[in-house]
């Protein structure tokens, strides 16, 4: 959906969820401003049983001039818009939540639109933009505003609001994983003094108490050095504060903190050992019932009540606790860890495969940046750091994944190709120089190449979750899930690889 499609309506309500948080306020504020600037009769509201009381949100409303009203009845809503009693708004747009959802008070309007970043809850109206992969609804709105050619940075109150929305919905950006979220974080020109002020009134006295009680009830699992903590419902950033604190405790290597809300459960995950990436653990915990992600040390996620109930799990604290206990146990017990530097692969049971010749792309790094430059390449799979050397080649794989290798490695595994390069993915990778912060698109520099088809490999399907620390990266593991493949080069069996099942069949032929 484009925001401009909303302009065909005149009397408009923008509504965020009950008990608004900073992301809901930021998103509603941005949509309100867009519609107002386009001459619409529009108001921004929320319903529910409570008026906003948290001090950071009250500051946000006052300092950024967010014109939001707390309404309880349809009549109040009509009055706000100057409509006659019993008359309905032409359009109601829900932000940071979906119309008819439990957490959004129901008001009636002639048309409904939805802008959100949660899991899709039910049938969506024609006018909707729900991006479950985005860390904040503010990001969705920011991107929609950009699509309309609007310079968000021209209004520092707006950009500060959006920035704070993402910050609070991603635990101070530590749980970000999608490149568009990172783009927004990096591109917004916000007021840092205002953000500092908000941050310092983040936790209410009540939440401090909640955190204290939660820590008293922490469960520690000695065998695998992790802790699980349940907190009473609170702001997600309080979960992050609790999990950060837990990680500093001796013998706690990983932790999971969660809080149960009406329609969903929020989780925060931390890890300080290289054998567990927090983002991967968060994904594992949420698999099939929600969404998780973030970074290697800090991650988070949310689990949908509806999806738990589909799996016939009761939405009660004891059965939720049992759910987390067994997910954590599965994670730590059912996996194998391989350190390639000290591992001898057993080749029995492995089959011989030949690599197919496939299209990929490459960029001569010095075509883009000078030798010695440090830069970050932003891709759909995350940020990749590169240091440009004379012979650095940036390779774009068949799924749009990016890596930097030396020319000799390139010559070994790839062949140049004369056809035009066509990028296969959706998010166009960019490169940002550390020196001047310049952002360039990579694709215009890309040429076509083929993966060399003659390398041979022994491989087998995995039955267990397997983590491999390769010889080249002893800090970060490759993860294989059951059904994926593990393989070694025929002429060098200490070179261990993991391939996703689908990719494996695309790249290799059984000999
Ligand atoms: Mn949100």
């Amino acid at each position: 959906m484009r925001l401009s499609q909303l302009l065909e309506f005149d009397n408009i309500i923008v509504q965020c969820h009950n008990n608004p948080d900073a992301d809901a306020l930021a998103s509603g504020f941005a949509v309100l401003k867009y519609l107002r600037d386009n001459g619409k009769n529009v108001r921004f509201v929320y319903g529910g049983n409570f008026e906003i009381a948290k001090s950071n949100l009250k500051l946000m409303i006052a300092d950024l001039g967010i014109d939001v009203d707390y309404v309880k009845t349809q009549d109040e809503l009509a009055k706000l818009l100057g409509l006659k009693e019993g008359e309905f708004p032409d359009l109601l747009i829900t932000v940071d939540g979906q119309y008819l959802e439990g957490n959004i008070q129901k008001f009636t309007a002639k048309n409904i639109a939805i802008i959100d970043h949660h899991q899709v809850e039910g049938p969506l109206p024609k006018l909707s933009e729900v991006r479950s992969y985005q860390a904040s609804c503010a990001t969705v709105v920011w991107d929609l505003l950009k699509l309309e050619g609007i310079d968000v940075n021209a209004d520092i109150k707006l950009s500060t609001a959006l920035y704070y929305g993402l910050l609070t919905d991603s635990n101070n950006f530590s749980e970000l994983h999608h490149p568009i979220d990172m783009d927004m974080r990096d591109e917004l020109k916000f007021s840092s003094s205002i953000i500092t002020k908000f941050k310092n009134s983040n936790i209410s006295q009540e939440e401090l108490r909640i955190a204290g009680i939660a820590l008293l009830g922490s469960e520690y699992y000695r065998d695998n050095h992790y802790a699980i903590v349940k907190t009473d419902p609170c702001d997600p950033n309080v979960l992050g504060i609790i999990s950060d604190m837990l990680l500093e405790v001796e013998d706690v290597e990983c932790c999971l903190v969660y809080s149960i809300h009406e329609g969903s459960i929020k989780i925060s995950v931390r890890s300080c050992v290289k054998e567990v990436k927090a983002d991967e653990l968060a994904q594992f915990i949420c698999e099939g019932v929600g969404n998780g992600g973030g970074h290697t040390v800090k991650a988070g996620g949310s689990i949908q009540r509806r999806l738990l109930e589909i799996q016939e799990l009761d939405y009660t604290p004891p059965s939720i606790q049992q759910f987390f206990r067994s997910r954590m146990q599965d994670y730590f017990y059912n996996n194998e860890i391989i350190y390639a530097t000290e591992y001898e692969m057993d080749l029995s049971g492995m089959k011989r495969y030949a690599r197919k010749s496939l299209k990929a792309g490459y960029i001569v790094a010095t075509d883009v940046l000078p030798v010695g430059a440090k830069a970050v390449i932003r891709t759909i799979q995350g940020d990749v750091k590169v240091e440009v050397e004379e012979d650095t080649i940036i390779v774009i794989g068949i799924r749009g994944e990016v890596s930097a290798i030396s020319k000799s490695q390139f010559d070994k595994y790839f062949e140049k190709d004369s056809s035009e390069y066509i990028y296969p993915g959706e998010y166009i990778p960019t490169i940002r120089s550390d020196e001047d912060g310049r952002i360039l698109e990579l694709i215009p520099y890309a040429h076509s190449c083929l993966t060399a088809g003659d390398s041979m490999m022994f491989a087998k399907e995995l039955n267990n979750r397997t983590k491999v620390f390769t010889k080249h990266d002893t800090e970060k593991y490759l993860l294989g899930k059951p059904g994926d493949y593990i393989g070694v080069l025929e002429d060098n069996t200490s070179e261990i690889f993991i391939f996703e099942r689908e990719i494996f069949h695309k790249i290799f032929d059984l000999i």
Side-chain angles (χ1 to χ4, degrees):
M1 183 192 74
R2 302 265 315 229
L3 284 179
S4 51
Q5 284 172 261
L6 306 174
L7 297 178
E8 66 173 276
F9 304 96
D10 289 315
N11 301 309
I12 307 175
I13 289 291
V14 179
Q15 183 189 358
C16 68
H17 54 75
N18 307 347
N19 296 312
D21 55 17
D23 183 38
L25 289 175
S27 310
F29 178 47
V31 176
L32 172 77
K33 184 175 159 27
Y34 170 79
L35 294 170
R36 233 175 224 168
D37 289 351
N38 279 284
K40 299 298 168 184
N41 177 28
V42 54
R43 301 298 292 248
F44 174 27
V45 306
Y46 66 96
N49 295 325
F50 305 100
E51 200 166 351
I52 290 170
K54 275 200 70 176
S55 56
N56 62 328
L57 300 179
K58 281 163 77 177
L59 280 175
M60 185 181 175
I61 290 169
D63 289 5
L64 303 179
I66 298 178
D67 184 9
V68 63
D69 288 286
Y70 173 49
V71 289
K72 287 184 179 162
T73 65
Q74 185 84 32
D75 283 349
E76 284 178 59
L77 200 76
K79 222 180 258 168
L80 269 180
L81 282 178
L83 301 176
K84 284 185 235 115
E85 218 186 285
E87 205 183 332
F88 297 126
D90 299 324
L91 177 68
L92 185 147
I93 309 159
T94 65
V95 292
D96 200 29
Q98 293 161 36
Y99 189 70
L100 295 184
E101 195 184 303
N103 194 26
I104 291 195
Q105 184 168 343
K106 191 183 168 224
F107 295 114
T108 307
K110 293 176 197 159
N111 295 281
I112 303 296
I114 293 175
I115 301 173
D116 190 23
H117 73 121
H118 295 91
Q119 294 286 309
V120 174
E121 284 292 331
L124 294 173
K126 224 173 80 198
L127 290 172
S128 60
E129 186 73 17
V130 180
R131 300 188 192 169
S132 312
Y133 51 84
Q134 229 69 81
S136 71
C137 187
T139 314
V140 182
V141 179
W142 174 76
D143 201 43
L144 290 173
L145 287 169
K146 282 211 334 182
L147 277 172
E148 299 302 336
I150 290 165
D151 175 14
V152 174
N153 285 334
D155 179 345
I156 193 160
K157 288 185 172 169
L158 175 60
S159 53
T160 303
L162 293 171
Y163 186 85
Y164 190 58
L166 177 61
L167 180 143
T168 51
D169 255 26
S170 66
N171 257 313
N172 281 309
F173 305 128
S174 64
E175 293 166 5
L176 286 190
H177 46 99
H178 196 278
I180 296 181
D181 291 312
M182 300 186 205
D183 284 345
M184 178 168 99
R185 175 198 60 196
D186 297 345
E187 286 176 32
L188 283 176
K189 301 226 179 332
F190 57 93
S191 158
S192 51
S193 62
I194 290 184
I195 293 289
T196 308
K197 187 170 158 192
F198 293 171
K199 272 188 178 172
N200 289 310
S201 48
N202 224 356
I203 304 183
S204 63
Q205 298 283 343
E206 171 62 10
E207 284 169 332
L208 183 65
R209 203 181 59 83
I210 287 174
I213 293 171
L215 285 167
L216 288 175
S218 99
E219 286 180 8
Y220 177 62
Y221 293 81
R222 203 168 304 279
D223 291 355
N224 292 295
H225 309 280
Y226 64 80
I228 302 179
V229 170
K230 170 183 175 281
T231 78
D232 283 338
C234 58
D235 214 67
N237 67 67
V238 177
L239 294 189
I241 292 164
I242 297 171
S243 54
D244 283 341
M245 196 188 290
L246 271 171
L247 206 61
E248 296 198 10
V249 176
E250 57 174 346
D251 295 332
V252 174
E253 295 177 348
C254 302
C255 65
L256 160 66
V257 181
Y258 69 94
S259 63
I260 306 170
H261 303 259
E262 219 170 85
S264 66
I265 303 166
K266 290 253 181 289
I267 70 163
S268 177
V269 171
R270 298 288 183 268
S271 165
C272 61
V273 286
K274 70 174 185 178
E275 282 77 9
V276 178
K277 290 180 192 166
D279 51 346
E280 187 240 328
L281 174 56
Q283 272 167 19
F284 181 87
I285 294 167
C286 298
E287 202 173 313
V289 290
N291 244 335
H295 292 286
T296 48
V297 176
K298 301 182 179 198
S302 69
I303 289 175
Q304 301 303 309
R305 174 180 187 153
R306 191 175 50 85
L307 296 174
L308 276 179
E309 286 175 343
I310 289 173
Q311 305 208 356
E312 285 174 11
L313 280 150
D314 290 339
Y315 202 72
T316 57
S319 77
I320 289 168
Q321 189 173 26
Q322 199 45 51
F323 167 81
F324 284 123
R325 282 185 189 145
S326 65
R327 284 261 159 141
M328 290 295 274
Q329 214 167 20
D330 281 353
Y331 183 85
F332 284 95
Y333 282 103
N334 299 326
N335 78 70
E336 190 183 349
I337 300 175
I338 292 173
Y339 302 89
T341 44
E342 49 197 61
Y343 189 80
E344 195 62 53
M345 182 67 81
D346 174 13
L347 298 180
S348 63
M350 286 189 142
K351 290 183 183 142
R352 197 159 170 257
Y353 293 87
R355 204 181 175 100
K356 294 182 201 174
S357 185
L358 293 166
K359 270 213 165 154
Y362 75 95
I363 293 137
V364 177
T366 50
D367 285 354
V368 189
L369 292 170
V371 173
K374 288 182 183 161
V376 173
I377 301 173
R378 181 153 295 165
T379 78
I380 189 72
Q381 274 107 345
D383 283 0
V384 178
K385 281 186 187 155
V386 284
E387 198 173 336
V388 177
E389 288 174 39
E390 230 139 284
D391 67 340
T392 304
I393 305 276
I394 298 163
V395 174
I396 307 172
I398 57 172
R399 289 169 300 160
E401 73 278 17
V402 171
S403 54
I405 58 177
S406 68
K407 175 137 193 337
S408 64
Q409 273 177 304
F410 178 81
D411 290 340
K412 200 165 154 195
Y413 296 111
F414 299 91
E415 254 166 59
K416 291 181 182 172
D417 181 62
S418 58
S419 65
E420 194 196 337
Y421 177 68
I422 298 162
Y423 177 68
E426 222 172 82
Y427 180 86
I428 311 280
T430 55
I431 187 162
R432 177 190 306 256
S433 156
D434 281 2
E435 232 135 278
D436 52 9
R438 224 163 21 117
I439 303 169
L440 295 167
E441 274 194 16
L442 266 188
I443 303 306
Y445 297 93
H447 309 282
S448 239
C449 61
L450 295 168
T451 56
D454 52 0
S455 62
M456 293 294 190
M457 171 155 294
F458 290 114
K460 69 174 178 194
E461 211 177 307
L462 289 168
N463 301 317
N464 254 333
R465 288 172 70 78
T466 305
K467 299 174 178 179
V468 175
F469 290 93
T470 65
K471 286 199 305 190
H472 311 285
D473 193 347
T474 53
E475 288 300 309
K476 270 193 191 156
Y477 57 83
L478 302 170
L479 175 75
K481 298 177 186 172
D484 291 345
Y485 282 80
I486 189 165
V488 292
L489 285 183
E490 182 177 62
D491 55 11
N492 183 358
T493 57
S494 67
E495 290 282 358
I496 305 179
F497 298 90
I498 293 270
F499 296 96
E500 275 173 42
R501 186 178 184 82
E502 198 191 322
I503 295 296
F504 183 81
H505 290 296
K506 269 190 199 158
I507 306 182
F508 292 100
D509 276 328
L510 185 64
I511 299 293

